[in-house]
Each structure stands twice: as structure tokens, then as C-alpha cells.
Amino acid sequence: MTPSTPPAAPLRADCIGDSAGGLTFDVAAHEGPAAALLILRRRAADGVDDTVSLPLAPAAEGRLRAALPSSVALPEGRWDAFARVSDGEPRRLVPGVTDLRSLADRTPGGLLGHVAVRIPYATRQGNLTVRSWLRAPHAETGELRLAEDGLTVRGRVYGTRLAPGAHAELRARPGTGDGGTRRLDVAADRAEFGFTVPYGTLAPGEWDLWLRPAGEPGPAVRLARLLDDIADKHPVFTYPRARVRTPHGPVHAGPYYTRDNDLSLSVTLLET
């Protein structure tokens, strides 16, 4: 009886982020007979534009290096990382040492006309994936001040200017009470903005926050917190909820970040 072949050891990749938004991958492997590649594949996509291949070049003994500069477009989504170091099939990468200190409190220059964010992380299965955002323009949330009757949001806009008609919007998701959109006044200071969300008029459900930096004629920009090294804010940034009386009855209301790191509000009707 022929013994089964043991599975190959996983390929491990160290990741380093730079302040411009680029990533460097160091793969612990020797180059095979074919040209080595680091391959990023976007999930739930089958088009030719949803695979990015980067050359892996020898960097040190037993290590190959690939660079993903911020100038290389990586459409928004989750990109699973593979390496092909021989003529065989690409092999899934697992994360090694990750250094993303340069991403914390990063301030993009905006010279490319958009904000590009790439954050490598370990999936639940222990594999290496890169979460990518590409926003043009972008509204970055900063401080959130919670009060008993509302929420004050402060942030900064990139890739556009705040015009005199700038305002924020609360947009109800389908199935949220009476639905619709609530307009909120914005205090603007150059690229900085701030506004307050009163909880008392909101119907129970989920509300998404948007910024209209140029007023009605301009773009609608989803508020998000992207400029740091945390790929998934939802389980990390948690906020207490306020108990508020509304025309719909008593509710618990408070902010949260979605799985895409966008800022939203949850309003839950309380039993009386």
C-alpha cells in the first residue's frame, strides 16, 4: 500500500505597510523553475480584472518579495493572497509577521485623486487576505461624541472641498420605520466637518450616514473610518447605546461600524 503524500507546508508571508498606502510581501519560499508570482484574487468575482499578479523576486536566502505600490489600482473588496513559486497551482498564503504601524493615523496626500487603503489580515481559516478600499472622494470619521439624546460626528473630507451647501444625510435602510432621508446641518472648516444626529426623531431600524460635501448637486460620500491598521472595526469599536423617547416609543440608539467600516446607526424599539 502506497503511503499518502503529506500535505505541503503552507507558504507564509510577512507584510509591511507604508505611509503612502502600499504593501510589501515577503514570502518564505525558494524560487522554482518558473517565474514566481504573488497572486491576489478578489472574492465573488470572475472577471479578468479581478486578479492581480505581482512578480516575486529573490530578496534574501529563502525569501521572495513582491511590492504592491499605492499607484497600482486594487478595486474595493477582499483579495485572497496566493503564491506560485513553481509550475504547480498557486498556493494559499498564511500571514507571518505583519507591520502596519505606518498606517495608523495616516494622512493621504490626495495627489492621485482618491484614497486607497489596503489592510492585510488573517481570515477565520488562518489565511492571508487583503481588504481594499478605493474611495473618491472620501469622508473619514474621527471623533464620535455620544450624548444622552444624540451623536456628534467629526471628520475630514479628502478629494473634494466642502462647499457652502454641504450637509450630512441619514438614510434609512429598507424596512426601517417610515424610511426616507434626514438632512443634517454641517459645520465646515476647510476640509474638517462636524454635525450632530438627534435620536429623538428616528424610527426603529438601521440608518446609514452620508456626507454631501458640495450640497445637492455634488456627490454623496459614505462616511467611513479607513485610515488606520484595523481591517474590521465592527468587533473592535463598540459604543454604548442611549435610551431615548421618540414618537415611536422608547428606543436604544447608538453608532456602529459595519463590516465595510462604514458608519451607521442602530435604533431598537424597547418593550414597554
Side-chain angles (χ1 to χ4, degrees), residues 154-173:
R154 300 191 183 279
R156 182 182 181 89
V157 68
Y158 296 89
T160 189
R161 296 182 178 181
L162 291 166
H167 62 272
E169 289 180 349
L170 270 177
R171 297 184 181 180
R173 292 187 200 165

Side-chain angles (χ1 to χ4, degrees), residues 146-151 199 241-245 253:
L146 283 73
E148 293 183 357
D149 58 352
L151 168 73
Y199 294 149
R241 294 188 173 191
R243 183 185 175 104
V244 183
R245 267 199 184 278

Side-chain angles (χ1 to χ4, degrees), residues 23 25 39-47 49-52 68 74-82 92 117-125 127-135 225-226 229-235 257-262:
L23 289 175
F25 302 85
I39 301 169
L40 299 173
R41 294 176 180 166
R42 187 161 61 155
R43 294 184 192 171
D46 54 5
D49 294 332
D50 295 303
T51 297
V52 173
L68 177 66
L74 197 66
E76 193 158 320
R78 297 179 188 273
W79 295 77
D80 296 330
F82 301 79
R92 196 73 165 88
V117 178
R118 294 88 177 265
I119 304 178
Y121 69 97
T123 67
R124 292 180 181 178
Q125 295 74 32
N127 296 316
L128 177 63
T129 294
V130 176
R131 181 64 172 95
S132 174
W133 289 267
L134 193 62
R135 302 280 173 99
R225 181 165 180 164
L226 307 180
D229 58 352
I230 303 174
D232 185 1
K233 308 289 191 301
H234 183 71
Y257 285 103
T258 70
R259 291 189 69 252
D260 292 322
N261 291 353
D262 297 324

Side-chain angles (χ1 to χ4, degrees), residues 5 20 34 66 69 76 89 93-94 112 175 179-180 183 199 221 227 229 271:
T5 304
E76 193 158 320
E89 289 294 318
L93 289 171
V94 299
L112 299 176
R183 176 170 171 163
Y199 294 149
V221 185
L227 300 177
D229 58 352
E271 295 183 3

Side-chain angles (χ1 to χ4, degrees), residues 36-258:
L37 293 174
L38 185 137
I39 301 169
L40 299 173
R41 294 176 180 166
R42 187 161 61 155
R43 294 184 192 171
D46 54 5
V48 294
D49 294 332
D50 295 303
T51 297
V52 173
S53 297
L54 305 169
L56 278 166
E61 181 64 29
R63 301 191 70 79
L64 303 173
R65 178 171 296 169
L68 177 66
S70 58
S71 57
V72 173
L74 197 66
E76 193 158 320
R78 297 179 188 273
W79 295 77
D80 296 330
F82 301 79
R84 192 185 74 190
V85 296
S86 65
D87 290 327
E89 289 294 318
R91 293 164 59 185
R92 196 73 165 88
L93 289 171
V94 299
V97 176
T98 301
D99 184 355
L100 303 178
R101 288 173 294 178
S102 63
L103 302 185
D105 299 320
R106 180 167 80 92
T107 303
L111 298 178
L112 299 176
H114 60 257
V115 170
V117 178
R118 294 88 177 265
I119 304 178
Y121 69 97
T123 67
R124 292 180 181 178
Q125 295 74 32
N127 296 316
L128 177 63
T129 294
V130 176
R131 181 64 172 95
S132 174
W133 289 267
L134 193 62
R135 302 280 173 99
H138 170 54
E140 176 77 5
T141 61
E143 181 184 14
L144 301 182
R145 292 184 180 178
L146 283 73
E148 293 183 357
D149 58 352
L151 168 73
T152 297
V153 180
R154 300 191 183 279
R156 182 182 181 89
V157 68
Y158 296 89
T160 189
R161 296 182 178 181
L162 291 166
H167 62 272
E169 289 180 349
L170 270 177
R171 297 184 181 180
R173 292 187 200 165
T176 295
D178 51 2
T181 299
R182 304 285 194 275
R183 176 170 171 163
L184 305 168
D185 293 334
V186 163
D189 181 9
R190 298 183 180 179
E192 307 286 335
F193 63 85
F195 62 89
T196 298
V197 181
Y199 294 149
T201 61
L202 299 181
E206 305 300 313
W207 297 82
D208 296 329
L209 283 84
W210 295 73
L211 182 70
R212 302 296 294 265
E216 293 294 341
V221 185
R222 188 73 166 93
L223 268 76
R225 181 165 180 164
L226 307 180
L227 300 177
D228 56 28
D229 58 352
I230 303 174
D232 185 1
K233 308 289 191 301
H234 183 71
V236 178
F237 290 85
T238 58
Y239 301 94
R241 294 188 173 191
R243 183 185 175 104
V244 183
R245 267 199 184 278
T246 74
H248 306 276
V251 301
H252 270 161
Y256 68 95
Y257 285 103
T258 70

